[in-house]
């Protein structure tokens, strides 16, 4: 009989509010992974239904320590995701008819893996979108620029890159971000 033991470590810093932010962020990422492409011009009712289904799937895969009360987490994140996905500038990246890849891994020259939240192939070229739950941070820009650089090498053309802050909600083009609002 063979027994595999997997140990997952959590730093002490992850306790409290930061742990909650990270846990909710992971659930939001999973829900956006499970969210299907939405009908063109989708309405709030359709979005509510699809987000709820995606959140249920995401919560089923969540570390039990971060689950809390499923209904509360589902309601909290459901409101955030629906509000964010109703932004007019976001819709084209989540509607039927686009070629979207979710949670794809890229390997850089050093062999390090990087996971892109969403890559959308548009007529104008590739677009990378990175989801964030919580405060804006300077390192978010560097992270998305790494993705942009790697994908530019792969596609041989300029790649548009966005940070999608779900709670605000706002979709920021990294080429237009000013450093001041970031932590």
């Amino acid at each position: 009989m063979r027994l595999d033991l997997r140990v997952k470590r959590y730093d002490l810093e992850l306790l409290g509010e930061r742990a909650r932010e990270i846990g909710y962020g992971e659930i939001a990422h999973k829900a956006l992974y499970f969210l299907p492409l939405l009908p063109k011009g989708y309405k709030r009712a359709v979005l509510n239904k699809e987000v709820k289904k995606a959140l249920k799937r995401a919560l089923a895969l969540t570390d039990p320590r971060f689950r809390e009360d499923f209904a509360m987490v589902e309601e909290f994140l459901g409101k955030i995701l629906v509000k964010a996905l109703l932004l007019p500038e976001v819709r084209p990246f989540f509607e039927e008819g686009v070629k979207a890849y979710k949670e794809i891994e890229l390997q850089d020259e050093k062999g390090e893996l990087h996971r892109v939240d969403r890559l959308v192939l548009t007529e104008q070229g590739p677009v990378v979108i990175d989801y964030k739950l919580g405060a804006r941070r300077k390192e978010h820009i560097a992270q998305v620029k790494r993705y942009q650089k790697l994908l530019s090498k792969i596609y041989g053309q300029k790649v548009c890159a966005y940070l999608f802050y779900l709670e605000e909600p706002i979709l920021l083009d990294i080429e237009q971000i000013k450093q001041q609002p970031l932590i």
Side-chain angles (χ1 to χ4, degrees), residues 76-127:
F76 174 74
L77 287 177
K79 287 178 183 176
I80 288 171
L81 293 176
V82 167
K83 185 176 177 183
L85 292 166
L86 284 171
L87 291 175
E89 61 271 26
V90 168
R91 287 173 173 260
F93 303 119
F94 289 86
E95 289 181 332
E96 291 172 342
V98 300
K99 185 73 173 171
Y101 298 94
K102 303 177 253 182
E103 301 293 333
I104 63 165
E105 288 188 341
L106 304 173
Q107 187 173 2
D108 65 18
E109 308 82 29
K110 297 176 188 173
E112 294 176 8
L113 290 177
H114 305 274
R115 182 170 292 144
V116 172
D117 293 337
R118 190 174 196 89
L119 172 64
V120 181
L121 302 180
T122 69
E123 290 179 12
Q124 296 76 31
V127 176

Side-chain angles (χ1 to χ4, degrees), residues 43-100:
K43 304 286 188 229
R44 182 181 291 268
V46 169
L47 182 58
N48 276 330
K49 179 182 163 198
E50 294 300 334
V51 164
K52 189 171 186 166
K53 285 195 304 191
L55 276 168
K56 285 189 183 308
R57 290 181 73 186
L59 284 166
L61 299 174
T62 301
D63 185 327
R65 289 179 288 178
F66 291 126
R67 284 186 186 163
E68 296 179 13
D69 176 36
F70 278 9
M72 183 198 70
V73 174
E74 185 179 339
E75 181 182 350
F76 174 74
L77 287 177
K79 287 178 183 176
I80 288 171
L81 293 176
V82 167
K83 185 176 177 183
L85 292 166
L86 284 171
L87 291 175
E89 61 271 26
V90 168
R91 287 173 173 260
F93 303 119
F94 289 86
E95 289 181 332
E96 291 172 342
V98 300
K99 185 73 173 171

